[in-house]
Amino acid sequence: MKKIVLLVFIFSVIFGYSQEPKKEDVKVGLVLSGGGAKGFAHISAIKAIEKAGVRVDYIGGTSMGAIIGALYASGYTGEQLDSIVRTIDFMKVIADNLPRKSIPFYEKEYGEKYAITLPIKNKKVGIPLGLTYGQGVQNLITNLTQHVSNIEDFRKLPIPFICITTNMETGEQEIMDKGFLPEAVNASGAFPTLFSPIEVDGKLLTDGGVVNNFPVDEVRAMGADVIIGVDIQSGLEKKENLDSAVKVMNQIVGFQMYNTLEEKRNKVDVLIKPDTKGYNVVSFDKVEEILALGEEASLEKQQELEEIAKRQNQNNKKVIDVKPTELKKFHLTRYEIDGNENYTRAYILGKLNLKEEDSTSYTKLIESIDNLSATKNFENIQYKIVNQKGGNVLKLKVKESKINQFLQFGVHYDKLYKTGILINTTSKHIFSKNDILSADLILGDNIRYNFNFFIDNGYYWSFGLKSRYNNFDADVNFDSENVNKINLQYKDLTSQIYVQTVFKRKFAVGVGFEHKHLKAYTETISSINNTDQTNNEKRLYFDKSHYFNLNSYLKLDTYDKKYFQNKGAYINIDYRWFIASSDYSDTFESFSQLKGKVGLAHTFFNKLTTHIVSEAGITIGDNENRALDYNIGGYGENYINNFIPFYGYDFAEMTENSFLRTGITLRYEFLPKNYLSTAVNYGRIENDIFEEGKIFDNTKTGYMVGYGLNTFIGPIEIKYTWSPDHSEDYWYFNIGYWF
C-alpha cells in the first residue's frame, strides 16, 4: 500500500499535479439600470470593475443601461466608452437632428415653411407618437457595433447580453436576446413621447423601464453566480420639482418601477449607487459631473469588487480588440434592400448617394443613412456591411412609415403680402411609387395657393408638375409728370411641367415648359385705350397676357439653415425663353432672360457670420413689357418673377432690362437664436449693365441694420434701411416662414 501511495506522489510531482483542490470559477453578471443621461455613471462603474480585475460574464440592461451594456458586451473597454461619450453630442443624436445637407432638394425648396405638422391616419388628424423615431440612436449604435454585426444571438457576443423592452399591447416585458442589436437597444431606450415606439417582429415596443428598469432576476437566470448592480435611479420627484414635460413623464414611468426596486436591490451582491439627484434623463451636458459621481460611488465598493475578482479564474477572461471603423473604407459590390414597397430601389440608392461598385467608409455610410432618413419616409433603417464571397455587400432593411398624409400649418406677415395663414395637405405615394403631392392654401390679405406634384426617381430623371397663384398690391414708382406713385395690382398664375435630376446630392438640374398668365394694372390712373369696362371699372393695364416659355435651371444649396445661415453655399441659375404670348399689348417679340444668384456664408468665432450674396440678370432680345422687367427694391424672400430685393430703396422702385446686385451682411448671434445684423448692398440697374464695359457706373447703394429672432414659426425680423442716394428711409417687419 505504501508503495502505491509513493508512486502516486512521484507521478503527481513529475506531471505537475497539485494536491490542492481546483478553484471554482465564479460567474459574474452586470446589471445596468435605465436613467437617460445619468447612465454615464455606468461607464465609471465599468472602469472600476475592470480595475479590480473582475471578469464580467453576463450583462443585462434597460434603456441607457442597455446602450452602455451593449457596447461593453461587444468588446469596448471602460476607457474606450469614456472617450466615446465625451465626443458625442447626445442631444443631436436623440433629436435626430440631421444636417440640412441631408434634406432632399424638394424639401429644401418647398418643405421648410411649416410651423406645425400633424399626421393623418384613417382619415383622422392625430398627433405624432413621439418627437423622433430614434434613428440617430440606432445609427450611433450601428456604427459602434459593426464589428459584431453578424451576431444575431446576443448570448454569443463577446459577453452574453440581454436588454428589456415593454410590449405596448400587453404591458408585459420583452427580453431581447436575438435580432439586430442596435434595433433592440433602440427599442429598450424608446422613452415615451420622446421617441416613437419601435415595431420589432410584429411587436410594438417602448422603453423597458416602464416594466423593469433593473433586470436582476433576468441576469441571474443567464447563469450568474454573483450580481454587480449599477443603479442610477433617483426615486420619485417631489411635486415642486415636476416643472417640465420630461420630468412629468419620467415620474409616470417610475410609478410601477419603484414599487419593486428595493426588492431587486436586495438581490444584488454588490450595489453601486451613484447619487444622481439633481440630474435628469436629459442632462447630457453634464457628462463630466455624472462620470465623477459614478467614479465616487464605485470607489466605495472597490474592496468588494477585488474580493470577487479573487474568486474568478482570470485565464477565462476574453480580450476583444475593438478599433475605430470610421476611416475604414469598403468597396461595395452589391446592395440588398429589403422592406421597400412604395419606394423603388433607384429612389433609395439615389438618396443614399450610392452606386453599384462604389466605395465608402462607415462615416460616409452614416451620412448616406442620414440622407435616406431625412426623407421622413422610413420609421427604421437597418444596415450592415457583410463580407461575402466576391466582395462586400451592404444589407439594408427599411421599414416604411405608416403615415403618408399630413396636415401642416404656418403663419406669416410682411409688408408686401400682409397677413397670411398657411394650410397645407401633403400625401405620399398616392398615384405611384416615390410620389409626393402637396397643396398650400394661403388665407389672409392676399389669397394665394401653391400646388406641387413630384415623382422622385433618385438617380434617374424625376418628373414634376406645379402651379402657383400669387397676388398682391403695392405702391410703386411711376414715371409720369403727373403721377409719382401708383397702386399696382399684380396677379400671377404660373403652371409648369418639368423633369429634374440631382447629382452628387448637391446639384439639381431641370428643364421644363411653363405657362404664365399675368395681370398687372392700376386704378390710380386710367387710359382710354387700355380700360376694362367690366363692372364699369376703369383700369390701366400694364399686362394681361398668357405667356408660354421653356425654362431650365441649375441649383445648389448647401446652407446649414434656411434662415440665419452660418455656413454653406447657394447657386440658382435660371434661363427662360419666352416663345409665345397672347400679346395683350400687340408688341410681343420672342426674348429670353438669364438670371443667376450666388450666396456664401461663413462663421468666425462661432458667433459672427459673413453672408455674401451676388445676383444678376440680363434680357436677351427685345422685351417691351415692363411687368417682366427686373424690378429692384424692398425686402422680402418670397418674391416671384423678376422682383429683386434691394436695401435702401422701396419695393420695385427701380426697373430695367438688366441688373447686378451684391450684398454683404454681418450677423452676430449675441444670444442663442438672437441676431444683430448690418448690411450693405451695391447694384446697377440699367438697360445694359455691360455697356462699353462701364460695369460700375451709376452704382446704387443701400444700408441696413436689424434684429432677428429664430422661432419655431420662423424668423421674426425688424430692419431699418436707407440709402445715401436719396433722403428716403424704410422700415420692414416680418414674422414667420416665408411662403
Side-chain angles (χ1 to χ4, degrees), residues 125-188:
V125 179
I127 58 174
L129 294 177
L131 295 179
T132 74
Y133 286 126
Q135 185 66 44
V137 175
Q138 185 161 309
N139 284 352
L140 174 64
I141 305 302
T142 299
N143 183 42
L144 293 173
T145 59
Q146 277 293 323
H147 59 288
V148 293
S149 62
N150 61 324
I151 299 176
E152 295 186 353
D153 184 347
F154 305 162
R155 296 174 190 263
K156 293 181 180 179
L157 288 167
I159 302 175
F161 169 77
I162 63 167
C163 63
I164 306 299
T165 65
T166 302
N167 189 312
M168 288 286 288
E169 288 185 295
T170 66
E172 302 294 328
Q173 79 170 14
E174 298 282 346
I175 299 176
M176 308 295 286
D177 60 359
K178 289 182 177 64
F180 184 57
L181 181 61
E183 182 182 51
V185 169
N186 199 16
S188 180

Side-chain angles (χ1 to χ4, degrees), residues 71-363:
L71 294 176
Y72 190 52
S74 71
Y76 287 93
T77 65
E79 286 293 341
Q80 287 174 318
L81 293 176
D82 186 284
S83 298
I84 289 170
V85 299
R86 291 176 189 270
T87 58
I88 293 173
D89 188 337
F90 279 91
M91 288 307 294
K92 284 187 177 180
V93 172
I94 287 174
D96 284 349
N97 193 3
L98 300 176
R100 186 172 180 267
K101 66 180 181 180
S102 298
I103 299 175
F105 240 100
Y106 177 89
E107 285 296 319
K108 287 180 182 178
E109 191 164 9
Y110 301 111
E112 297 178 304
K113 55 187 176 184
Y114 307 112
I116 298 173
T117 299
L118 300 175
I120 300 175
K121 189 174 183 180
N122 298 326
K123 299 182 180 180
K124 294 181 180 178
V125 179
I127 58 174
L129 294 177
L131 295 179
T132 74
Y133 286 126
Q135 185 66 44
V137 175
Q138 185 161 309
N139 284 352
L140 174 64
I141 305 302
T142 299
N143 183 42
L144 293 173
T145 59
Q146 277 293 323
H147 59 288
V148 293
S149 62
N150 61 324
I151 299 176
E152 295 186 353
D153 184 347
F154 305 162
R155 296 174 190 263
K156 293 181 180 179
L157 288 167
I159 302 175
F161 169 77
I162 63 167
C163 63
I164 306 299
T165 65
T166 302
N167 189 312
M168 288 286 288
E169 288 185 295
T170 66
E172 302 294 328
Q173 79 170 14
E174 298 282 346
I175 299 176
M176 308 295 286
D177 60 359
K178 289 182 177 64
F180 184 57
L181 181 61
E183 182 182 51
V185 169
N186 199 16
S188 180
F191 190 78
T193 70
L194 183 59
F195 296 113
S196 298
I198 296 174
E199 187 176 330
V200 181
D201 297 330
K203 298 176 182 178
L204 194 63
L205 305 178
T206 191
D207 195 313
V210 174
V211 291
N212 186 356
N213 205 36
F214 204 39
V216 178
D217 294 333
E218 290 73 16
V219 174
R220 182 82 71 179
M222 294 174 75
D225 303 309
V226 173
I227 297 290
I228 301 172
V230 187
D231 180 18
I232 55 173
Q233 301 167 92
S234 305
L236 296 173
E237 296 278 0
K238 300 293 184 182
K239 64 179 181 181
E240 56 268 21
N241 294 328
L242 297 174
D243 53 5
S244 72
V246 172
K247 288 184 178 180
V248 170
M249 183 53 63
N250 199 42
Q251 187 89 337
I252 294 171
V253 169
F255 288 154
Q256 178 178 341
M257 182 170 62
Y258 291 117
N259 286 336
T260 59
L261 181 57
E262 198 59 39
E263 177 186 345
K264 291 180 178 181
R265 285 175 177 169
N266 292 333
K267 295 179 180 180
V268 171
D269 297 282
V270 177
L271 179 65
I272 299 175
K273 183 71 180 71
D275 183 9
T276 56
K277 284 190 176 180
Y279 301 89
N280 57 51
V281 295
V282 292
S283 296
F284 291 104
D285 58 335
K286 309 294 184 183
V287 178
E288 296 279 356
E289 298 173 27
I290 296 172
L291 285 170
L293 291 173
E295 182 179 1
E296 182 182 346
S298 300
L299 284 174
E300 297 175 2
K301 304 293 181 177
Q302 197 68 29
Q303 186 175 349
E304 295 178 50
L305 295 174
E306 290 173 356
E307 289 298 323
I308 294 173
K310 291 177 182 178
R311 298 167 58 192
Q312 289 186 297
N313 182 355
Q314 294 302 318
N315 291 332
N316 293 337
K317 189 167 185 177
K318 296 179 180 179
V319 179
I320 306 296
D321 185 20
V322 181
K323 296 180 179 179
T325 60
E326 286 82 356
L327 301 179
K328 186 176 180 181
K329 284 199 169 185
F330 294 87
H331 183 69
L332 301 174
T333 57
R334 195 168 78 254
Y335 302 96
E336 294 180 4
I337 303 175
D338 182 36
N340 57 312
E341 296 180 3
N342 296 299
Y343 298 94
T344 62
R345 176 184 176 86
Y347 173 89
I348 291 175
L349 292 179
K351 297 307 172 197
L352 291 172
N353 194 25
L354 294 174
K355 296 180 179 179
E356 304 289 349
E357 299 293 330
D358 206 352
S359 293
T360 188
S361 65
Y362 280 122
T363 300

Side-chain angles (χ1 to χ4, degrees), residues 414 634-639 645 732 738:
D414 69 83
Y635 171 69
E637 296 196 23
N638 192 38
Y639 288 166
Y732 296 100
W738 292 86

Side-chain angles (χ1 to χ4, degrees), residues 51 105 163 350 355 369 398 447 464-465 512 567 635 659 688 714:
K51 183 180 179 181
F105 240 100
C163 63
K355 296 180 179 179
I369 298 299
V398 298
I447 296 176
L465 290 169
K567 61 182 180 179
Y635 171 69
F659 81 99
D688 181 3

